[in-house]
Amino acid sequence: MAAAPVWSVDPRTGNPREQVAVEATAEEVDAAVRAAHAARGALADRTVRAAFLRTAADLLAEAQEHVIEAADAETALGPARLTGELARTAAQLRAFAEVVDEGAFLDIHIDHEDGSRTPPWPDLRRYKIPLGVVAVYAASNFPLAFSVPGGDTASALAAGCPVVVKAHPDHPATSELCASLLRRAAAQHGLPEDVLTVVHGFEAGVELVKHPLVSAAGFTGSIRGGRALFDAAAARPAPIPFHGELGSLNPVVVTEAAAAERAEQIGAGLGGSMTMGAGQFCTKPGFVLAPSGEAGDQLLKSLTETVSGTGSGVMLDHRMRDAFVQGVAERAALPDVEAPVTPGAGGEHTVSAGFLTVPAHRLAQDGPHDALLEECFGPVTVVARYDSADEITAVLSRLPGNLTATLQIATEEADGSAAELLARLTPVAGRVLVNGWPTGVAVAPAQHHGGPYPATTSTSTSVGATAIERWLRPVSYQSTPEALLPPELREDNPQNLPRRVDGRRA
């Protein structure tokens, strides 16, 4: 049987653009993983790794025009959005190069022999080593920052792990172009090009997570797809870590005082955030608790004006478009649900933004309205109108895990009166915001892009410097002669690495 072709498709028309590749067979996945496994040793030199990452960033920037053209043709995200995403992606690669240079990620601890302790301490030296080949499953909505050259790939390479990427079918041409740039960067530093390989096809993705030489996996996508791969990773004879970002509702709580103070501003901000990128951000605020009464009405008026002024948008593919249209129609048909601005089909290939409202008490217990507490991918949000603090508490207690949670408070509440609400939001999200909007994830050392299940399948972050920790494991050497120790653990610290010696930072 001939291998299935992989087509690049224009989401603006639904028409195929070009055949990019063919779906990888099980034998081809095996060959890609084995080649990556063989390349592990070449990534051992931290200086070379850092230089490779910087060159990859440079080549992406140099090819900006071609990369953005390819990505826009396959995703319809637009040149402005993609220009920013490419800059973020290049900056992310350079940031991980800095992480590699500094060396703190190695988490070095040295405890010298101490016979005075009970029981006595032997000489112990601990640091972290790369896990091995990492499988990366590219995201649909970020063809650069969360795909072939994105954060999972950058952090894994920074850790010293070769990467095999399962490309997303929504942007195969962009994936191949970016892979060629990263492979060229590797070659420029004497590294095997197979430190980064791309495969295509659903079955290839399944084969990849099951391969015995794959040591860990990173995924960004749907709850259904991510959970299936997570289960496969756990069911292996030797289970592997699976760091999946699956889905998020990203709740927002607006206090009555905040609505009274700045209803127009909050409504406009919410409208801009939930429609950004046609509502296809993983951090889109998809659920809002807003007060009943006049202040809440003013907020909804502002939200209506903002959303009504948003033109029709193109989603990443027609399958997602159809799921959005069906999803909002089912939610809008529920009792007591209203649509001040009706979301749905904007045309044959587009969608229109909108929002739904529902009394908060409808969500306080199990029932058909539970669908409103599930992510609907696309430009829609649900506003639940509450009458009391007890209703806020009841609804928050039923929320699933999220990437973000946002609290909108008034100036007078910033003195600590909102602390109780903040404490209730903290358990349900990995990033908690006050008087901001969650769309936009800064690539910063203190960032955490993760959250309780189903937002993610682990406690790790996929954004920021500490994302590298996913691809490392600690190992300790006990009573080992100096000549046999890795250079990073030797007494004279020839690489001048940050470390803790006998409990103190050295």
Side-chain angles (χ1 to χ4, degrees):
M1 182 182 295
V6 175
W7 287 89
S8 172
V9 177
D10 182 351
R12 294 180 173 96
T13 64
N15 296 328
R17 297 177 57 249
E18 59 177 332
Q19 182 179 338
V20 173
V22 294
E23 295 186 356
T25 63
E27 293 75 18
E28 289 168 335
V29 171
D30 178 65
V33 173
R34 291 186 182 280
H37 184 73
R40 290 174 303 150
L43 287 170
D45 189 315
R46 290 189 303 111
T47 302
V48 173
R49 280 203 322 262
F52 161 41
L53 292 170
R54 289 190 174 95
T55 298
D58 292 342
L59 293 181
L60 274 171
E62 291 171 11
Q64 173 173 312
E65 181 179 348
H66 298 297
V67 172
I68 290 173
E69 181 181 12
D72 181 51
E74 293 186 306
T75 66
L77 290 173
R81 148 72 193 275
L82 291 167
T83 297
E85 187 179 335
L86 189 146
R88 170 211 173 107
T89 305
Q92 197 163 239
L93 287 160
R94 295 189 181 102
F96 278 111
E98 293 178 5
V99 169
V100 174
D101 281 339
E102 183 199 26
F105 75 97
L106 295 168
D107 195 24
I108 298 172
H109 291 257
I110 295 176
D111 293 315
H112 291 106
E113 182 178 2
D114 186 350
S116 68
R117 293 181 179 268
T118 305
W121 281 11
D123 186 272
L124 286 166
R125 295 164 189 250
R126 177 187 188 271
Y127 79 147
K128 291 183 178 178
I129 62 174
L131 288 174
V133 178
V134 170
V136 169
Y137 294 81
S140 62
N141 55 342
F142 283 85
L144 305 174
F146 284 85
S147 293
V148 172
D152 284 352
T153 297
S155 58
L157 291 171
C161 297
V163 174
V164 179
V165 182
K166 189 274 180 186
H168 197 280
D170 280 352
H171 40 77
T174 307
S175 299
E176 287 291 335
L177 175 55
C178 290
S180 70
L181 294 170
L182 266 64
R183 288 168 67 86
R184 191 181 352 144
Q188 287 186 19
H189 293 281
L191 296 170
E193 291 187 349
D194 288 328
V195 296
L196 185 285
T197 306
V198 168
V199 296
H200 299 266
F202 175 83
E203 290 300 329
V206 175
E207 292 293 330
L208 191 56
V209 79
K210 293 180 178 180
H211 198 287
L213 293 181
V214 168
S215 299
F219 171 92
T220 303
S222 68
I223 293 177
R224 181 179 178 183
R227 183 55 194 255
L229 290 170
F230 174 75
D231 291 345
R236 292 168 37 132
I240 59 171
F242 184 89
H243 301 284
E245 180 191 320
L246 310 188
S248 186
L249 196 60
N250 304 303
V252 178
V253 176
V254 182
T255 67
E256 189 166 3
E261 179 181 85
R262 48 193 174 87
E264 183 175 346
Q265 180 184 344
I266 293 173
L270 172 61
S273 185
M274 51 82 60
T275 60
M276 186 180 296
Q280 297 173 114
F281 278 57
C282 54
T283 51
K284 178 199 77 176
F287 180 77
V288 183
L289 279 160
S292 300
E294 184 179 351
D297 291 344
Q298 286 299 114
L299 190 158
L300 259 60
K301 179 182 178 183
S302 175
L303 177 61
T304 297
E305 293 172 353
T306 301
V307 174
S308 297
T310 303
S312 296
V314 177
M315 295 191 70
L316 293 160
D317 62 39
H318 281 58
R319 175 184 58 81
M320 292 183 191
R321 175 193 174 277
D322 293 344
F324 171 76
V325 172
Q326 179 181 348
V328 295
E330 291 172 350
R331 289 164 171 80
L334 292 168
D336 287 342
V337 172
E338 297 180 358
V341 182
T342 303
E348 184 180 357
H349 306 291
T350 61
V351 295
S352 60
F355 68 96
L356 308 174
T357 64
V358 65
H361 69 80
R362 280 287 195 176
L363 304 171
Q365 57 188 7
D366 293 345
H369 289 78
D370 285 357
L372 300 174
L373 300 179
E374 299 173 1
E375 180 184 19
C376 186
F377 195 69
V380 64
T381 196
V382 173
V383 181
R385 306 291 299 274
Y386 66 84
D387 292 315
S388 67
D390 288 343
E391 286 187 356
I392 296 177
T393 300
V395 174
L396 290 181
S397 70
R398 304 196 62 243
L399 292 182
N402 291 273
L403 294 170
T404 75
T406 300
L407 180 61
Q408 297 286 344
I409 61 174
T411 304
E412 66 191 47
E413 297 176 293
D415 61 0
S417 60
E420 185 177 345
L421 271 176
L422 200 65
R424 288 179 184 153
L425 285 174
T426 298
V428 303
R431 178 165 58 106
V432 182
L433 301 87
V434 177
N435 290 352
W437 298 106
T439 38
V441 184
V443 184
Q447 183 60 270
H448 187 82
H449 190 62
Y453 185 85
T456 54
T457 60
S458 72
T459 59
S460 301
T461 179
S462 60
V463 177
T466 54
I468 195 173
E469 296 173 1
R470 297 173 295 170
W471 322 120
L472 300 162
R473 72 172 180 87
V475 59
S476 290
Y477 291 88
Q478 180 172 327
S479 304
T480 304
E482 179 87 359
L484 298 181
L485 286 170
E488 293 87 350
L489 297 180
R490 292 177 186 170
E491 196 68 22
D492 60 352
N493 194 12
Q495 300 178 19
N496 195 31
L497 293 166
R499 53 190 192 173
R500 296 190 75 90
V501 179
D502 296 328
R504 297 179 180 177
R505 190 176 301 278

